Amino acid sequence: MYKIIQKVALNPTVTKMVIEAPLIAKKAQPGQFIIVRPFEDSERIPLTVAGYDRAAGTVDIIFQIVGGTTMELNSLNEGDCVHDFVGPLGRATETEGLKKVCVVGGGVGCAIALPVARKLHEQGCVVHSVVGFRSKDLLILEDEFRACSDELRVMTDDGSYGTKGVVTAALEELINAGNQYDLVITIGPLIMMKFVVKTCQKYGLKSIVSMNPIMIDGTGMCGGCRLTVGGQTKFACVDGPDFDGDLVDFDEAMARGTMYRPFEAHAREAACNLLKMEVK
Amino acid sequence: MAFNMDPKKCPMPTQDPNVRNKNFEEVALGYTAEMAINEAKRCIHCKNKPCQSGCPVGIDIPGFIEKVAEGDFEAAYQVIHKDSSLPAICGRVCPQESQCEGKCTRGIKNEPVGIGRLERFVADWHRENVHTPPVVPASNGHKVAVIGAGPAGLTAAGDLAKMGYKVTVYEALHVAGGVLMYGIPEFRLPKAIVQQEIDGLKKMGVDFECNMVIGKVLTIDELMGEYGYEAVFVGSGAGLPRFMNIPGESLKGVYSANEFLTRSNLMKAYLPTSKTPIHVGKAVAVVGGGNVAMDAARSALRLGAEKVYIVYRRSMNELPARKEEVEHAEEEGIIFKTLCNPVEILPDDNGFVRAITCIEMELGEPDASGRRRPIEKPGSEFTMEVDTVIMSLGTSPNPLIRSTTPGLETNKHGCIVTASDAGDTSREGVYAGGDAVTGAATVIKAMGAGKAAAKAIDEYIKAKA
């Protein structure tokens, strides 16, 4: 059992939790993930390490409430425990030798992008960040990004905050302003990452994407998270989750991501009803 | 005492095939006390005990059977327990026909003694009737870590605990048991029985640390350094599934057998209340012919598939699965499509599996494994309508341990290299056994390796002290 030390609502649908897990806190690196089961009968879901405090022995997770399991997780409060918390899993983001990088985050993906941006900044790398949200009320981590970015662009789809538009528009503007990036690191919805990679290709820039397929064990024993990368089958949980953006088959990944959609809709409804009953 | 000279084994009662193929309850129901005593009397107590030499953990088989024949079931249990900590499991899943029962003298002319069934009876009887806690052995003050709570690790842990070692088992998943929990289905091995065997080890003082992925959260060097373990046993198995690399393998509805069985067994997706989803269509093709393929096929049938095919590239004679499992599968209505191999999986408009194209095979000369090599018949491609495909082509060791343990020698298949059957690796104090060394094999071979390594670890630590 792993105690929830702190719980903060970052916006109406995104929650941050600080979890007591000293062994994981000691080893975690930006880009790695953990597997969580809120309760004894819950599904196993992957969540990326959003931060860690090695001295305090805690690991941060930030999650969007999108379905049954994230609703279960969000029903827990400070002082409660999550039943299982496994990690750190996957490979860390490779940051060595980078001099100037653009980090592009979308929605809750910004929570994953933040520790990478922070690590690059601490290494003395010049960090430009582009973060995108649907609207102002979904904005998260702006101050945190500002603290570790040499330049920050905030985009909203509806223009309710920052600049109206998508993240690729801001990225193109930065490139056109003469910024030469060693690498573009992008984390967010698959469709966003696909278009960030396309934009990078247009300018001959290298890109790294953090993939988010369906996972069960997260240790390489089932292949549920497999992706086609450069024509080869890779397991995102052990070979990734970071991959070379130019090599990933995004269309296949997007198709695989929808496999359990009807089941998930049902689970979400069931969890909703259950939580409503508890409120009464 | 009079021997029972019946040429045949006392049959094991089983659930009716047309009832059991719709539920996940255990297929084989076990002997009654009368059946067990009667079967035990078929043992003629050979002096040289060939059966014992066929048992990978060397149980005194005539010794325990004699006690069963006398009706002293607890004494029989104590005889088995000296050599095996997990008899309720072995009695159910061992391929006895190629081990103890394969060597039974009665089996030369007639059917061998039902050793596995008797072992199972004794273990079940003990579990249901004896509730005195096991004797906790006196501590010898030494610490050993076991990596992986599958059959190899559980056996090594049990044996070391009996010798007085303080043992901690590190397990990556949220429950201990390895393949006994995530792989073998409930209808062959009830999980409550596995859990009780594990609880028995806990009562003997073995500690279990779940959710611990060794190689990630801790390394072997840390276990042997700051954590103070004097020896480590690696029983991390061979969990990495193989795929065929044919077109369409990434479609929705294509599973590895490991994923399908993990969802069904470990995450309980077979229960309507489970929060973990599983996709089972109307027609399912399971590619492969081993025990895992049989488990996946029989699970798919129970999950509601109307037609389940085993697609295997050799013939019925070469199926690597246990004969009993193949018979059970056939009785339940699994359709065997032998001498054919998939070449492509075809999609529907929504990116799910619609059909599978196979090519017919014929058998040529025997290959290195002694089995006749399958050869494709040109132009014989045909298409089967299926909406789920489960790949059961075998597994390899997971790279996590070898990639994080400097100096640990592995071969080109990723298996840990051991100097002898005792499991000593290229790293001093690090022992290994089970599928991590051999690649995918059987539960009992893993138990045998765990037992041999426990003995070697004991000798190593005593020699050092």
Side-chain angles (χ1 to χ4, degrees):
Chain A
M1 303 289 268
Y2 306 79
K3 197 170 172 187
I4 300 165
I5 302 297
Q6 193 190 30
K7 178 184 177 186
V8 190
L10 298 185
N11 73 33
T13 64
V14 176
T15 303
K16 174 182 171 180
M17 279 182 179
V18 178
I19 310 281
E20 189 175 67
L23 292 176
I24 303 174
K26 214 171 143 186
K27 289 284 171 72
Q29 294 285 345
Q32 289 187 298
F33 67 96
I34 45 99
I35 293 266
V36 189
R37 281 205 322 155
F39 300 107
E40 197 178 357
D41 63 346
S42 298
E43 217 184 335
R44 293 169 67 100
I45 59 161
L47 291 173
T48 307
V49 169
Y52 42 82
D53 184 331
R54 301 207 201 282
T58 58
V59 174
D60 305 346
I61 49 173
I62 294 178
F63 58 94
Q64 188 160 21
I65 305 153
V66 289
T69 309
T70 42
M71 284 178 189
E72 283 181 351
L73 186 55
N74 198 51
S75 75
L76 294 169
N77 292 306
E78 283 177 14
D80 293 343
C81 287
V82 295
H83 200 276
D84 297 293
F85 199 73
V86 194
L89 300 169
R91 297 157 73 106
T93 303
E94 283 170 33
T95 54
E96 229 167 276
L98 297 171
K99 298 276 180 290
K100 188 169 181 180
V101 168
C102 188
V103 177
V104 183
V108 74
C110 293
I112 310 166
L114 178 67
V116 179
R118 208 176 251 160
K119 185 175 175 191
L120 286 164
H121 177 73
E122 282 164 10
Q123 277 174 206
C125 175
V126 175
V127 178
H128 290 183
S129 299
V130 177
V131 292
F133 304 91
R134 282 209 309 279
S135 62
K136 187 185 175 189
D137 51 335
L138 299 176
L139 180 78
I140 55 168
L141 304 171
E142 185 188 7
D143 294 341
E144 287 84 348
F145 266 103
R146 203 172 294 287
C148 62
S149 304
D150 297 272
E151 183 150 359
L152 174 69
R153 301 287 174 95
V154 182
M155 310 294 288
T156 50
D157 291 355
D158 62 358
S160 53
Y161 189 79
T163 311
K164 183 179 160 99
V166 290
V167 289
T168 44
L171 175 62
E172 279 207 79
E173 209 182 287
L174 285 166
I175 296 168
N176 287 331
N179 287 300
Q180 298 277 341
Y181 299 116
D182 303 335
L183 186 66
V184 173
I185 297 176
T186 178
I187 304 162
L190 284 171
I191 188 76
M192 182 204 94
M193 291 196 283
K194 177 179 167 173
F195 281 100
V196 169
V197 169
K198 282 198 174 190
T199 305
C200 290
Q201 283 167 340
K202 192 166 133 191
Y203 295 95
L205 286 175
K206 272 181 65 182
S207 60
I208 290 288
V209 297
S210 177
M211 299 301 284
N212 51 7
I214 294 168
M215 285 188 191
I216 315 272
D217 60 290
T219 64
M221 64 166 257
C222 86
C225 66
R226 65 192 185 276
L227 302 163
T228 304
V229 181
Q232 290 190 317
T233 299
K234 296 278 180 191
F235 291 2
C237 71
V238 286
D239 300 319
D242 287 1
F243 292 100
D244 181 339
D246 293 335
L247 302 179
V248 171
D249 184 338
F250 280 102
D251 294 338
E252 179 189 285
M254 282 189 260
R256 282 184 65 79
T258 64
M259 177 151 173
Y260 297 104
R261 213 155 256 181
F263 184 98
E264 284 162 359
H266 177 77
R268 188 163 51 235
E269 205 173 287
C272 266
N273 289 338
L274 205 66
L275 294 174
K276 265 186 228 150
M277 275 175 358
E278 278 167 14
V279 171
K280 275 181 202 163
Chain B
M1 182 174 58
F3 290 125
N4 169 4
M5 293 313 289
D6 193 328
K8 289 194 179 254
K9 277 185 205 178
C10 172
M12 173 93 100
T14 54
Q15 273 197 75
D16 181 83
N18 282 316
V19 174
R20 73 180 192 237
N21 63 11
K22 294 170 196 71
N23 70 49
F24 271 83
E25 283 154 36
E26 198 172 13
V27 166
L29 302 171
Y31 278 166
T32 61
E34 293 72 31
M35 288 174 188
I37 291 171
N38 198 33
E39 181 64 21
K41 286 181 178 165
R42 291 185 66 232
C43 173
I44 53 173
H45 297 278
C46 315
K47 266 206 186 104
N48 56 350
K49 304 181 182 183
C51 52
Q52 187 171 8
S53 68
C55 172
V57 296
I59 291 172
D60 175 10
I61 292 165
F64 98 77
I65 290 183
E66 187 177 6
K67 296 294 174 196
V68 176
E70 289 168 8
D72 190 349
F73 305 136
E74 178 57 14
Y77 178 82
Q78 292 306 331
V79 174
I80 297 174
H81 192 67
K82 269 186 224 149
D83 297 295
S84 171
S85 304
L86 309 161
I89 295 165
C90 292
R92 285 173 167 81
V93 303
C94 276
Q96 288 102 5
E97 63 272 22
S98 56
Q99 295 173 344
C100 54
E101 293 182 23
K103 301 241 167 136
C104 174
T105 309
R106 288 294 308 267
I108 297 169
K109 281 190 175 164
N110 306 126
E111 283 190 3
V113 175
I115 299 166
R117 296 171 180 187
L118 290 172
E119 181 187 26
R120 169 189 162 144
F121 168 79
V122 168
D124 289 356
W125 187 91
H126 172 84
R127 192 179 62 252
E128 285 154 17
N129 295 286
V130 179
H131 304 289
T132 48
V135 180
V136 179
S139 168
N140 67 12
H142 296 282
K143 279 171 72 179
V144 178
V146 169
I147 299 168
L154 293 178
T155 305
D159 278 20
L160 287 162
K162 280 181 205 163
M163 297 175 205
Y165 289 91
K166 184 69 210 152
V167 182
T168 306
V169 182
Y170 291 96
E171 166 58 42
L173 290 174
H174 56 263
V175 295
V179 76
L180 307 171
M181 280 299 196
Y182 75 74
I184 303 176
E186 184 77 17
F187 57 82
R188 265 208 312 134
L189 181 64
K191 302 304 151 227
I193 289 176
V194 180
Q195 193 54 54
Q196 276 167 321
E197 301 263 34
I198 290 166
D199 290 344
L201 294 176
K202 286 184 185 163
K203 284 180 196 149
M204 281 172 21
V206 177
D207 284 332
F208 285 85
E209 295 269 1
C210 288
N211 294 329
M212 295 288 277
V213 184
I214 301 303
K216 286 289 181 189
V217 70
L218 290 173
T219 62
I220 287 182
D221 287 312
E222 285 168 318
L223 290 172
M224 297 185 79
E226 57 186 287
Y227 283 75
Y229 292 103
E230 291 162 78
V232 172
F233 174 74
V234 183
S236 50
L240 195 74
R242 287 193 205 116
F243 287 92
M244 293 188 84
N245 299 315
I246 57 172
E249 220 167 10
S250 294
L251 290 171
K252 289 181 278 185
V254 182
Y255 283 111
S256 72
N258 261 17
E259 180 181 0
F260 189 79
L261 290 170
T262 298
R263 284 178 182 271
S264 179
N265 298 328
L266 179 73
M267 305 312 296
K268 308 263 178 261
Y270 71 89
L271 298 173
T273 51
S274 173
K275 288 167 182 162
T276 299
I278 195 161
H279 168 85
V280 189
K282 284 196 163 67
V284 178
V286 179
V287 183
N291 286 321
V292 176
M294 299 304 137
D295 286 344
R298 296 171 70 195
S299 295
L301 199 66
R302 285 160 169 78
L303 284 160
E306 288 165 16
K307 278 191 175 163
V308 180
Y309 303 96
I310 290 276
V311 177
Y312 180 56
R313 60 198 184 127
R314 291 184 169 99
S315 78
M316 292 301 283
N317 296 328
E318 288 83 23
L319 281 170
R322 285 187 67 193
K323 202 165 153 262
E324 186 180 297
E325 303 312 325
V326 175
E327 283 168 9
H328 280 163
E330 283 183 306
E331 286 167 10
E332 288 167 12
I334 305 288
I335 304 158
F336 284 76
K337 288 280 200 185
T338 54
L339 288 168
C340 70
N341 205 32
V343 289
E344 185 174 6
I345 306 168
L346 306 169
D348 69 7
D349 295 340
N350 300 314
F352 275 90
V353 173
R354 171 176 68 79
I356 184 166
T357 301
C358 297
I359 187 162
E360 288 179 24
M361 312 292 277
E362 56 194 353
L363 293 180
E365 294 300 307
D367 63 12
S369 76
R371 291 183 303 174
R372 293 177 65 194
R373 187 194 306 271
I375 302 161
E376 291 185 355
K377 280 199 225 170
S380 66
E381 287 89 347
F382 66 100
T383 298
M384 286 163 60
E385 304 283 318
V386 294
D387 41 20
T388 301
V389 177
I390 302 171
M391 292 293 179
S392 179
L393 311 158
T395 52
S396 327
N398 191 300
L400 272 183
I401 299 274
R402 67 173 186 265
S403 64
T404 56
T405 311
L408 186 69
E409 201 187 322
T410 53
N411 68 19
K412 64 177 182 193
H413 302 294
C415 300
I416 298 172
V417 176
T418 52
S420 72
D421 290 344
D424 37 334
T425 69
S426 54
R427 282 282 306 265
E428 193 190 330
V430 179
Y431 293 75
D435 289 2
V437 169
T438 58
T442 61
V443 166
I444 189 65
K445 281 196 179 130
M447 289 187 182
K451 189 178 180 69
K455 186 164 170 273
I457 287 170
D458 180 50
E459 285 161 8
Y460 163 73
I461 290 178
K462 286 207 175 120
K464 218 174 44 147

